[in-house]
Amino acid sequence: MGKTLIHYHLFKNAGSSIDKILRKYFEDQWASFDGNDPYGLIDDQQIREYFECHEYVIALSSHLARPPIPYADTIPIVFLRHPVDRALSVYRFWQANPHLPGHQFVVNRTFRDFIDWSIKSNDVGSIIKNYHVIHLTGAAFRYRMDGYYAPNTQDLNDLKALLENWSTFGIVRRFDESMALFNAAYGSLFPGLFEGSCHENITNAAFISDEMEVERARDLAGADIIADFIDSNYLDMELYSWAQQIFDRKLHVAVAAA
């Protein structure tokens, strides 16, 4: 097996942009793999089996794949996003697309109602509550046994260690800088892949910073419930704060080396 790349396509985390970039670069050597169950999980063993059964595929994107990476030298691509910014994006996206299953969760709810529902839900509400920690750790698999998602501090620490071990990761609101970091880390392996910018499927391009979107969310839902939402997202909030620091450090090193 030659060099492989996997894109962990987190919903509303710039995944469409990355898929477009990978599809254009790799052409028929890129594939998307999510199985037959839209709510299923795909572990590293299943990803290895996919690559072995599709030897022509180099780059793979998946909404349902979970770390760890399938091979020790597989290149991982993942983007993180501020929980409040992401929640607002999810709400807008589902509101605008009645054909999607998620529309049922927003069709009769204001944004405030949507946030309140997610805070109280231990099941589907996790689509915006501690989503990153659930999606990228063993917490997702524990749901199958416990009947609800219950990520914990150990999951958070495991995810920090995972991301530290990877060469880099992306941040949605810093897309161009993220592409520069990916290029610094992996550009020698795939020349030209991460050069330029192609940010697709932007639900609201008018607000270009985390701070502006959080203020927008407060205006729409009320500062009180956004504060409650932030509290309920304490794992993802800590992850995001930590990730910004690590991202800045990696960016500084990449710029100094350029």
Side-chain angles (χ1 to χ4, degrees):
M1 177 64 65
K3 183 70 69 176
T4 56
L5 181 153
I6 183 164
H7 168 216
Y8 296 100
H9 186 158
L10 275 63
F11 179 50
K12 298 311 296 174
N13 277 28
S16 296
S17 300
I18 297 302
D19 281 355
K20 182 175 181 178
I21 290 168
L22 295 177
R23 184 168 55 246
K24 181 179 179 180
Y25 186 89
F26 290 103
E27 298 181 340
D28 60 358
Q29 292 180 308
W30 171 84
S32 178
F33 174 50
D34 282 311
N36 298 318
D37 180 1
Y39 300 104
L41 301 174
I42 298 175
D43 62 21
D44 56 319
Q45 176 61 37
Q46 291 170 284
I47 294 297
R48 279 195 297 274
E49 291 172 358
Y50 184 91
F51 275 123
E52 289 163 8
C53 290
H54 302 80
E55 294 184 355
Y56 61 91
V57 172
I58 296 175
L60 188 66
S61 295
S62 177
H63 292 85
L64 302 180
R66 288 347 191 224
I69 52 177
Y71 303 102
D73 62 348
T74 295
I75 293 172
I77 304 294
V78 72
F79 274 73
L80 308 179
R81 190 170 190 174
H82 190 290
V84 176
D85 179 24
R86 185 176 173 278
L88 189 50
S89 181
V90 170
Y91 179 77
R92 289 175 177 142
F93 186 72
W94 278 346
Q95 282 275 11
N97 292 277
H99 64 286
L100 295 177
H103 186 70
Q104 64 181 304
F105 303 121
V106 300
V107 63
N108 293 317
R109 288 187 171 103
T110 64
F111 182 57
R112 181 183 178 90
D113 293 338
F114 178 60
I115 292 296
D116 185 56
W117 162 77
S118 75
I119 292 172
K120 295 173 180 176
S121 171
N122 286 321
D123 191 357
V124 185
S126 63
I127 193 69
I128 59 171
K129 186 169 65 177
N130 292 314
Y131 175 79
H132 299 85
V133 175
I134 290 172
H135 193 102
L136 296 171
T137 71
F141 292 95
R142 290 201 304 274
Y143 167 75
R144 301 292 170 168
M145 297 179 288
D146 299 340
Y148 64 94
Y149 291 108
N152 55 47
T153 303
Q154 185 59 55
D155 294 319
L156 172 63
N157 292 335
D158 289 346
L159 182 50
K160 287 180 179 179
L162 178 76
L163 294 174
E164 276 272 39
N165 188 53
W166 290 353
S167 295
T168 193
F169 52 85
I171 291 179
V172 172
R173 290 290 172 184
R174 302 175 69 176
F175 189 84
D176 289 348
E177 290 174 307
S178 299
M179 294 300 286
L181 274 180
F182 283 122
N183 190 54
Y186 307 124
S188 62
L189 296 172
F190 300 111
L193 173 58
F194 301 105
E195 295 177 2
S197 179
C198 175
H199 203 169
E200 291 283 307
N201 201 18
I202 304 174
T203 308
N204 184 11
F207 297 90
I208 58 174
S209 71
D210 294 332
E211 294 76 13
M212 293 177 73
E213 282 293 72
V214 171
E215 282 304 310
R216 176 64 170 166
R218 290 192 181 107
D219 290 342
L220 290 173
D224 58 333
I225 200 162
I226 293 301
D228 290 343
F229 178 69
I230 288 173
D231 287 344
S232 73
N233 266 280
Y234 71 98
L235 295 173
D236 263 18
M237 289 299 299
E238 182 177 337
L239 172 71
Y240 192 72
S241 177
W242 170 88
Q244 290 273 21
Q245 297 176 44
I246 301 301
F247 186 90
D248 285 337
R249 188 187 74 198
K250 291 177 180 292
L251 188 62
H252 177 77
V253 171
V255 170

